[in-house]
Amino acid sequence: MADHAANKVYADYPPALTSEQEDYLAQTVKNWTVEHALLVRPSTAIVPEEANPKNVLATNAPVTLFPSPFPKACFEQAKTIQPVYNELYASIASDEQWLEDIMRELIEVDDFLANLWKIHIAVKEEGYVQDLSLGMFRSDYMVHTAEQAPPSLKQVEFNTISSSFGGLACRVADMHTHLATFPSPKHSVAYPTHPLFANAAGDSSIHTIGHPPHNEAVATLTAGLAAAHVAYGPSRSEPRLPTCVIFLVQDNERNVFDQLALSSHLYKHHHIPSFRLPTSKILAYTSIPSKDSNPYRPLIYTPPSSPSTQFEVTVVYFRALYAPTEYNTPTSWAARHHLERSAAIKCPTILLHLSGSKKVQQVLTARPPDTDHLKAFLPTHPESVLDNLRSTFAPQYSLSASAPEASGEPEGIRLALSAETAANHVLKPQREGGGNNIYRTNIPPFLNSIPKSQWKQYILMELIRPPTAAKNTVLRSDGQVVSGNVISELGIFGACLWRNTPGDTKPEILHNTEGGYLLRTKGKDSDEGGVAAGFSSLDSLILYEEY
Amino acid sequence: MADHAANKVYADYPPALTSEQEDYLAQTVKNWTVEHALLVRPSTAIVPEEANPKNVLATNAPVTLFPSPFPKACFEQAKTIQPVYNELYASIASDEQWLEDIMRELIEVDDFLANLWKIHIAVKEEGYVQDLSLGMFRSDYMVHTAEQAPPSLKQVEFNTISSSFGGLACRVADMHTHLATFPSPKHSVAYPTHPLFANAAGDSSIHTIGHPPHNEAVATLTAGLAAAHVAYGPSRSEPRLPTCVIFLVQDNERNVFDQLALSSHLYKHHHIPSFRLPTSKILAYTSIPSKDSNPYRPLIYTPPSSPSTQFEVTVVYFRALYAPTEYNTPTSWAARHHLERSAAIKCPTILLHLSGSKKVQQVLTARPPDTDHLKAFLPTHPESVLDNLRSTFAPQYSLSASAPEASGEPEGIRLALSAETAANHVLKPQREGGGNNIYRTNIPPFLNSIPKSQWKQYILMELIRPPTAAKNTVLRSDGQVVSGNVISELGIFGACLWRNTPGDTKPEILHNTEGGYLLRTKGKDSDEGGVAAGFSSLDSLILYEEY
């Protein structure tokens, strides 16, 4: 592997720690995380249920002890294109026909997507009573390195539902900033001297500010919720009810404090109350008046602790019901249908949820392209802006036999079945929720082990090559400190509110912002993500420019 | 027991909870405490060491689910007299001869007090190099109820060292305020309607604001530290060193987040860095230059993680070394001596530490009084102010045979040995650190079981009669919710900085403030305190006036 630029910065990063330094740093982080709620509820792998029967314990989220170096130009590109990505996905979710066309084949084989689609159709037939949609997005990238070229940004996925970790990511950035600047930037006691920090005479070939950029994720995301809440307007109930936002959460959520960061900020800074609603309680605690008593279908929330005080729900913010495994009770689908047909603004609607499926990303980024979808969805943007977006696409291939190749075996199938070309790819299920990715030379035997009719449930993606020299040290949730080679994934948060007019496939954008970031870093031997699962760690970034 | 005023307010308080209400309230508190670091490290009784080998877990501090009603007049009296109490103890600590006279007899029998005194004498002979002293005080009271009389305030003790829980107490007040006012004071969903809250039509005979008063403890205490830091002046080292405050802490401290609330506020709002120094590391991480190289004896702190960056310590804030059990290594006393002879401002000095001993309180409040100590220590205050202070004294009696009674058995011994009068008293060891109080009719047999020569190590105090009807509900650190009759103790925080001039027993007061409170509430069956020990809970108060 060539010694390209993005690896050079890692040559002696993070700086080596003496045992006293590691003890001090780990102890400081253990205390800082608790003091600032950079915490999760521990998994039963860390604390057995019998030792925590009332679920009161908390432990640090897995975090890196150092911020990871990240090319400044890539970070700025990701921020610049986020509002365009927001608009792109608002446009996709507004074009039901386009979505139906590309999902049709998948819906035949995927019960989850089929059930979502059925709900949309049923509500469409009854008639939607809410023309506003809210997207709280996170676009995920990796830095791609190639010989003789500067590092570039490649999109991993675009999340349209339950984009998490904005709350905790802000705290990691604050923590790394504290560590790098306490008691003063020139004399930080937690970090050994290093050219990437302000505590060393600078290496003239690398420029940094010595600590992570401020992370605006909480402010950005709550401003999105607040914009939707305000746009909802007055209560549609008779007499009018006080209004609230609902955070729809999993019953056994461990990532509680990430979510509370948003709800607390929403209340403190926007004076908007919100309630946490576990998915198992949707039908118990919320109701929609009958058509005769109120045709506007307001969603009424009745707090279990105070049934005489009802609220009308302006926004349902989904931090749950994104994965097939969550629809595991007889009423799960009825509950989703119930929310979809209500007047509450959904974040997301079912169409927006479907827009985030990997199939959509694959169509947008398909090699070779069938149509210029970007130009169609974003007709008002200059070609240079679209090119900036396109530069973040990693090639993706359909495994469907109906792929648009002129003749013979589709290119995706050809690349997947050859061990030589498969070695450069990852096979991903089209479903949401992660897991079960098949990597490199495991792809051909895997495909040969399943019926050919199921191949179209997968897409093939060219592997991104992150810097091979990247290293960091992690404090796991069980308190172990581990070091090694790592891979990082950058997420950029965005919020977008739009209105759909019947018959018009173009959304009217009312609010479109970018702000805040997530860096997730995992050990290089692991090919799967998911911080809450304990495999990857929350990180922040130290931007650098090389001269 | 008569139905006096302070009991009436408890007649139906706290309001009864349905199981849904209790679930919602407990779950809300479990999450709120983690989000706002109202936390402790769990004891091994809650989480066995093998389940938490790296000490990363945290759990809620034991907290009441409701604030406790408290008579407004008593609270305001406690606040009004705090600056006078601050000055009183500054004056006591400044009068070495007076202290020696009253401690002499105790020092003969108490190794702990004797060792403290020896250090003071040794440093005095070498010559003190710091004439400033800082007191971070907490005066503790109970409400005393008597038939046909309004509730009154009686002092339990005055803490001159390691006055804790200011940090967590602020958070409890914030939490109870949140519970009482979310989403609005008129429609709180966590608390059932009750006349003490704003969510009910007010009972015209009781006036409250519906939530706890704002708690200024953190601001008050850190302003005290900041005043001392600034008064220390520039570094006495050659060349000058950056300066810092030291938080002296126990090696296995569980109440970490209470302390971090102060150090973080000190850094954020006063820009003063501080470091946590475990007592076992005093001699390893701090040093005093030899007399020849620097006669001013600056205390130099060398961070273990960054030995090339030394700091000069302006203030040593003791959150440790207050109890005899902490001096359990061969170098414990040497370490205390080392700090006392340094130029750092001690919070507290040994004289101030000794001023907080129960013996001093007993002499000040002695029945009958031997001398008007208050007038002597506070000559500039009008008699009405001193009377206000005196009204908070609960009668205390020496068990020393040299007590100033004219003839016969000293009154304290007579009251203690009779089962009938003992039933109204508590026998307390004069040492700091709590524990081993002997109550009521256990007193005579206890005294008869120990040599008479040890009696003078105890003082006899008339029991305060708190409202018998007081009830509350507690979330323990293990997540259990328990309800019952309770007793509450109010602490008022104060900070005082003064200068002593050789030969003058009157301190020059430079900073004297009052602010913030602690309410600790324990089950009525327990006669011992100490939140960190799991027996009592952190509480806040809801002030009421009756018409």
Side-chain angles (χ1 to χ4, degrees), chain B residues 40 61-62 165 254 518-521 529-538:
Chain B
V40 293
F165 293 115
R254 297 203 297 108
L518 166 71
L519 199 71
R520 279 195 294 186
T521 290
V531 170
F535 296 107
S536 71
S537 297
L538 297 172

Side-chain angles (χ1 to χ4, degrees), chain A residues 106-116 118 333 431:
Chain A
L106 259 182
I107 285 170
E108 288 169 21
V109 293
D110 187 325
D111 284 349
F112 178 63
L113 297 177
N115 279 323
L116 287 176
K118 260 188 254 169
W333 286 108
R431 289 196 177 104

Side-chain angles (χ1 to χ4, degrees), chain B residues 229-250:
Chain B
H229 177 84
V230 170
Y232 182 89
S235 162
R236 304 174 181 206
S237 303
E238 267 312 329
R240 287 185 180 178
L241 291 174
T243 55
C244 75
V245 168
I246 285 291
F247 279 51
L248 190 70
V249 298
Q250 294 180 345

Side-chain angles (χ1 to χ4, degrees), chain B residues 329-347:
Chain B
T329 75
T331 59
S332 298
W333 286 107
R336 181 77 191 255
H337 186 181
H338 169 77
L339 298 177
E340 187 73 7
R341 68 183 286 274
S342 80
I345 299 172
K346 271 73 67 183
C347 175

Side-chain angles (χ1 to χ4, degrees), chain A residues 111-435:
Chain A
D111 284 349
F112 178 63
L113 297 177
N115 279 323
L116 287 176
W117 190 259
K118 260 188 254 169
I119 289 175
H120 162 65
I121 294 300
V123 177
K124 186 182 164 192
E125 281 172 9
E126 184 182 12
Y128 274 95
V129 288
Q130 180 55 266
D131 55 6
L132 296 167
S133 298
L134 177 65
M136 305 262 272
F137 299 134
R138 201 189 66 221
S139 185
D140 290 341
Y141 304 93
M142 286 171 86
V143 167
H144 181 65
T145 58
E147 293 180 35
Q148 315 303 336
S152 62
L153 198 66
K154 295 295 173 194
Q155 191 180 52
V156 177
E157 62 179 340
F158 190 89
N159 300 283
T160 62
I161 184 168
S162 199
S163 307
S164 50
F165 294 115
L168 297 189
C170 289
R171 293 173 182 161
V172 180
D174 286 348
M175 182 180 78
H176 286 156
T177 299
H178 173 79
L179 295 170
T181 63
F182 178 85
S184 73
K186 294 264 173 222
H187 296 100
S188 63
V189 297
Y191 287 162
T193 55
H194 188 277
L196 284 172
F197 305 133
N199 63 7
D203 173 332
S204 61
S205 73
I206 294 179
H207 177 73
T208 99
I209 59 166
H211 58 79
H214 186 62
N215 194 332
E216 300 282 0
V218 168
T220 302
L221 295 170
T222 52
L225 287 170
H229 176 86
V230 170
Y232 181 91
S235 163
R236 304 172 180 206
S237 304
E238 256 330 317
R240 286 187 180 177
L241 291 174
T243 54
C244 75
V245 168
I246 285 289
F247 278 52
L248 189 71
V249 298
Q250 295 181 343
D251 283 74
N252 298 307
E253 178 62 73
R254 297 203 297 108
N255 192 25
V256 181
F257 311 107
D258 180 53
Q259 299 167 348
L260 290 175
L262 299 184
S263 52
S264 292
H265 194 269
L266 186 64
Y267 184 60
K268 190 171 177 190
H269 293 275
H270 298 281
H271 313 293
I272 299 170
S274 63
F275 296 97
R276 295 171 65 76
L277 177 63
T279 55
S280 67
K281 302 294 187 188
I282 294 171
L283 296 175
Y285 298 160
T286 72
S287 61
I288 299 173
S290 71
K291 193 178 171 182
D292 293 342
S293 70
N294 187 330
Y296 304 107
R297 287 183 237 151
L299 183 66
I300 311 301
Y301 173 70
T302 306
S305 65
S306 180
S308 61
T309 312
Q310 292 189 316
F311 294 83
E312 183 169 329
V313 180
T314 56
V315 184
V316 180
Y317 172 44
F318 283 68
R319 290 295 294 259
L321 294 186
Y322 51 86
T325 50
E326 293 179 85
Y327 294 77
N328 54 1
T329 76
T331 60
S332 298
W333 286 108
R336 181 75 191 257
H337 186 180
H338 169 78
L339 297 177
E340 187 73 7
R341 67 184 286 275
S342 79
I345 299 172
K346 272 73 67 185
C347 175
T349 61
I350 281 181
L351 288 182
L352 181 57
H353 184 172
L354 291 169
S355 302
S357 62
K358 296 192 181 83
K359 177 71 185 179
V360 170
Q361 189 191 26
Q362 183 258 314
V363 168
L364 294 177
T365 64
R367 292 281 177 90
D370 53 347
T371 322
D372 191 346
H373 298 294
L374 246 57
K375 189 74 203 164
F377 282 122
L378 302 167
T380 64
H381 288 276
E383 201 61 25
S384 62
V385 168
L386 303 187
D387 278 343
N388 205 2
L389 233 70
R390 286 188 191 104
S391 76
T392 66
F393 292 168
Q396 299 205 17
Y397 304 88
S398 166
L399 296 196
S400 163
S402 66
E405 273 79 10
S407 66
E409 189 119 80
E411 189 181 6
I413 293 177
R414 191 176 50 73
L415 292 169
L417 290 179
S418 145
E420 193 185 343
T421 49
N424 208 21
H425 290 82
V426 54
L427 189 72
K428 294 181 163 190
Q430 306 232 25
R431 289 196 177 104
E432 284 309 302

Side-chain angles (χ1 to χ4, degrees), chain B residues 31-313:
Chain B
N31 283 344
W32 200 100
T33 50
V34 177
E35 192 189 358
H36 298 86
L38 178 41
L39 298 171
V40 293
R41 294 288 183 195
S43 71
T44 51
I46 292 177
V47 182
E49 200 182 335
E50 61 269 24
N52 186 22
K54 298 285 183 180
N55 197 24
V56 281
L57 298 175
T59 189
N60 61 279
V63 290
T64 61
L65 296 186
F66 296 92
S68 286
F70 200 91
K72 191 179 179 197
C74 291
F75 182 68
E76 289 181 346
Q77 182 190 10
K79 287 171 69 74
T80 301
I81 61 182
Q82 185 64 32
V84 191
Y85 263 125
N86 294 347
E87 188 182 337
L88 172 63
Y89 278 84
S91 298
I92 291 170
S94 301
D95 195 339
E96 182 204 13
Q97 188 58 51
W98 186 88
L99 269 176
E100 187 181 356
D101 287 346
I102 68 157
M103 302 297 282
R104 189 177 295 126
E105 195 176 46
L106 260 180
I107 285 170
E108 287 168 21
V109 294
D110 187 324
D111 283 348
F112 177 62
L113 298 178
N115 279 324
L116 288 176
W117 190 259
K118 259 189 254 169
I119 289 175
H120 162 64
I121 294 300
V123 177
K124 186 182 164 193
E125 281 173 10
E126 184 182 12
Y128 274 95
V129 287
Q130 180 54 264
D131 55 6
L132 295 167
S133 299
L134 177 66
M136 305 263 272
F137 300 134
R138 201 187 69 218
S139 184
D140 289 342
Y141 304 93
M142 287 171 85
V143 167
H144 181 65
T145 58
E147 293 180 35
Q148 314 303 335
S152 62
L153 197 67
K154 295 294 174 195
Q155 190 180 52
V156 177
E157 63 178 341
F158 190 90
N159 300 283
T160 61
I161 184 168
S162 198
S163 307
S164 50
F165 293 115
L168 297 189
C170 289
R171 292 173 183 162
V172 180
D174 286 348
M175 181 180 78
H176 287 155
T177 298
H178 174 79
L179 295 170
T181 62
F182 178 85
S184 72
K186 294 263 173 222
H187 296 99
S188 63
V189 297
Y191 287 162
T193 56
H194 189 277
L196 284 172
F197 304 134
N199 65 5
D203 172 334
S204 61
S205 73
I206 293 180
H207 177 73
T208 95
I209 58 167
H211 58 78
H214 186 62
N215 195 333
E216 300 283 359
V218 169
T220 302
L221 294 171
T222 51
L225 287 170
H229 177 84
V230 170
Y232 182 89
S235 162
R236 304 174 181 206
S237 303
E238 267 312 329
R240 287 185 180 178
L241 291 174
T243 55
C244 75
V245 168
I246 285 291
F247 279 51
L248 190 70
V249 298
Q250 294 180 345
D251 282 74
N252 298 308
E253 180 61 74
R254 297 203 297 108
N255 191 26
V256 181
F257 311 107
D258 179 55
Q259 300 167 348
L260 290 175
L262 301 185
S263 51
S264 292
H265 194 270
L266 186 65
Y267 184 59
K268 190 170 177 190
H269 293 276
H270 298 281
H271 313 294
I272 299 170
S274 63
F275 296 96
R276 296 172 64 76
L277 177 64
T279 54
S280 67
K281 302 294 187 187
I282 295 171
L283 296 175
Y285 298 161
T286 72
S287 60
I288 299 174
S290 70
K291 194 179 171 183
D292 293 341
S293 70
N294 188 331
Y296 304 108
R297 284 183 239 151
L299 184 66
I300 310 302
Y301 173 69
T302 305
S305 66
S306 181
S308 61
T309 312
Q310 292 188 316
F311 294 83
E312 183 170 329
V313 180

